Amino acid sequence: MSKQRPIEFVGDLSVEDSNVLLDLAGASSSILEFGVGGSTQIFAQCNPRLLLCVETDKVWAHAVLDTVSERFPKATQPIMIGYNEKFYQKFDLIFVDGIDEKRLDFALNTWESLDNGGLML
């Protein structure tokens, strides 16, 4: 018998990875995410106060926004911003999963946006 996903999403995350994201997002009121997809759908269903998402592919960003709004209308709707847009917010959780060549820069540039006691993943 196969394991069931703990929460609904479209994507290729393993059950184990989705459980980790679900646990972390459930304990977070503000989430910054680099690279949207299945993780965005999980985060949204945890209903954080703020879900700010950075995506370098505009077409993909809109597809994920459409998926969240259609499949999970009661979830926190993600706010999409561009890679170079500025924000002035602290986050409980920063999830760095965008394109490989920008991950390290994104992590370093957003480190100061991590709230005391927050987690960067």
Side-chain angles (χ1 to χ4, degrees), residues 20-90:
V20 169
L21 295 179
L22 180 61
D23 288 345
L24 294 173
S28 301
S29 65
S30 56
I31 300 170
L32 172 62
E33 176 183 33
F34 174 48
V36 301
S39 56
T40 310
Q41 297 166 59
I42 292 169
F43 294 156
Q45 291 175 80
C46 290
N47 288 308
R49 176 181 45 79
L50 174 64
L51 175 54
L52 188 64
C53 300
V54 177
E55 177 54 54
T56 55
D57 182 333
K58 290 181 182 182
V59 173
W60 180 243
H62 288 291
V64 172
L65 280 176
D66 290 347
T67 297
V68 172
S69 66
E70 290 169 14
R71 292 189 58 168
F72 315 111
K74 294 182 180 180
T76 297
Q77 297 303 301
I79 299 169
M80 294 282 183
I81 64 171
Y83 183 81
N84 293 316
E85 287 186 53
K86 300 288 182 211
F87 52 86
Y88 305 95
Q89 169 78 37
K90 294 282 188 175

Side-chain angles (χ1 to χ4, degrees), residues 86-100:
K86 300 288 182 211
F87 52 86
Y88 305 95
Q89 169 78 37
K90 294 282 188 175
F91 298 91
D92 300 330
L93 176 62
I94 299 178
F95 184 58
V96 183
D97 190 36
I99 58 175
D100 291 342

